[in-house]
Amino acid sequence: GENVEQHPSTLSVQEGDSAVIKCTYSDSASNYFPWYKQELGKRPQLIIDIRSNVGEKKDQRIAVTLNKTAKHFSLHITETQPEDSAVYFCAVPPLRETSGSRLTFGEGTQLTVNP
Amino acid sequence: DAGITQSPRHKVTETGTPVTLRCHQTENHRYMYWYRQDPGHGLRLIHYSYGVKDTDKGEVSDGYSVSRSKTEDFLLTLESATSSQTSVYFCAISELGEQYFGPGTRLTVT
């Protein structure tokens, strides 16, 4: 299946700093790249996504950048706040996915924002 | 949150017993999925459905079966539960790529 690598596995920042999480993938045909946030004991929730026809997308303090040539995409969180503390997952469609519906998830990044 | 519910939310069962988890949606989405989440493994796909009576295996399907007789319901069955199936199970739905997750079911097999 699709090989998705997510780094780092843990990230600790001071409140107000920026955080960056990176995912690399192997299938050059992938065209959809979402990020999910999962707070402790809760369900994963989609926070931002990007399709392959754009290089960057922003939504307030979060942004996703895509480098299709290098086959990686990153989540950027600026002006971090304690409520940003959570596990973040990237995902990509698996190899040979034709329906555009299935996703392969990275193993997650535990972000801790220290007050 | 999208209209997705899971039942039961918590279950403790004994090794060797059958268990069925239910996912119910009110969004009329075509695709439905079952994942398990374990520490260090992220979210792993068990089975998915692309329509009524249309299902296929995911990456960790051994020991699990599914059924979808109506658009709104997707059932996951553990025919004979084992301790390795202790996990948190999430259902998800999608229509055009974005997946939305249910609240999860915490299953413990003793």
Side-chain angles (χ1 to χ4, degrees):
Chain A
E2 173 71 90
N3 184 29
V4 182
E5 293 189 1
Q6 183 174 340
H7 297 282
S9 57
T10 61
L11 180 59
S12 182
V13 300
Q14 290 300 121
E15 183 175 359
D17 288 350
S18 295
V20 181
I21 304 169
K22 182 178 177 179
C23 265
T24 60
Y25 59 96
S26 55
D27 182 11
S28 59
S30 294
N31 58 8
Y32 175 64
F33 307 92
W35 285 94
Y36 286 80
K37 175 184 180 182
Q38 186 177 28
E39 297 176 356
L40 187 63
K42 301 290 183 62
R43 73 186 80 187
Q45 292 199 303
L46 177 68
I47 56 171
I48 195 167
D49 57 14
I50 193 170
R51 297 193 183 267
S52 58
N53 57 340
V54 299
E56 182 176 3
K57 183 177 179 180
K58 288 184 178 179
D59 183 3
Q60 300 182 335
R61 294 187 298 106
I62 62 173
V64 55
T65 58
L66 172 63
N67 185 327
K68 286 214 73 178
T69 302
K71 292 189 282 187
H72 66 74
F73 60 110
S74 299
L75 177 70
H76 305 255
I77 306 174
T78 59
E79 301 173 23
T80 54
Q81 301 168 4
E83 52 265 39
D84 294 328
S85 296
V87 178
Y88 291 82
F89 293 97
C90 63
V92 298
L95 288 171
R96 295 178 295 279
E97 174 62 33
T98 55
S99 70
S101 64
R102 287 186 296 154
L103 295 172
T104 298
F105 286 82
E107 293 192 356
T109 297
Q110 173 68 62
L111 173 64
T112 302
V113 180
N114 301 300
Chain B
D1 293 327
I4 313 168
T5 56
Q6 292 184 231
S7 59
R9 295 292 314 280
H10 301 271
K11 186 170 182 66
V12 180
T13 191
E14 294 184 349
T15 299
T17 60
V19 177
T20 295
L21 309 182
R22 180 183 183 235
C23 177
H24 179 78
Q25 62 148 328
T26 58
E27 305 295 324
N28 201 36
H29 281 4
R30 175 184 176 188
Y31 301 96
M32 298 186 75
Y33 314 81
W34 277 107
Y35 292 90
R36 61 178 291 172
Q37 185 173 38
D38 307 288
H41 291 281
L43 291 153
R44 293 183 292 174
L45 182 65
I46 305 171
H47 281 280
Y48 67 102
S49 170
Y50 45 96
V52 173
K53 297 192 187 324
D54 292 324
T55 65
D56 206 348
K57 297 178 180 180
E59 61 179 305
V60 290
S61 59
D62 288 349
Y64 302 95
S65 62
V66 290
S67 66
R68 190 168 179 200
S69 58
K70 298 184 292 184
T71 298
E72 56 266 36
D73 289 326
F74 193 32
L75 303 180
L76 176 71
T77 297
L78 292 66
E79 300 291 347
S80 178
T82 68
S83 59
S84 64
Q85 293 176 312
T86 292
S87 187
V88 178
Y89 291 84
F90 285 101
C91 171
I93 65 174
S94 76
E95 189 62 39
L96 295 173
E98 301 91 349
Q99 290 191 16
Y100 300 97
F101 286 82
T105 295
R106 182 172 296 277
L107 176 68
T108 302
V109 183
T110 61

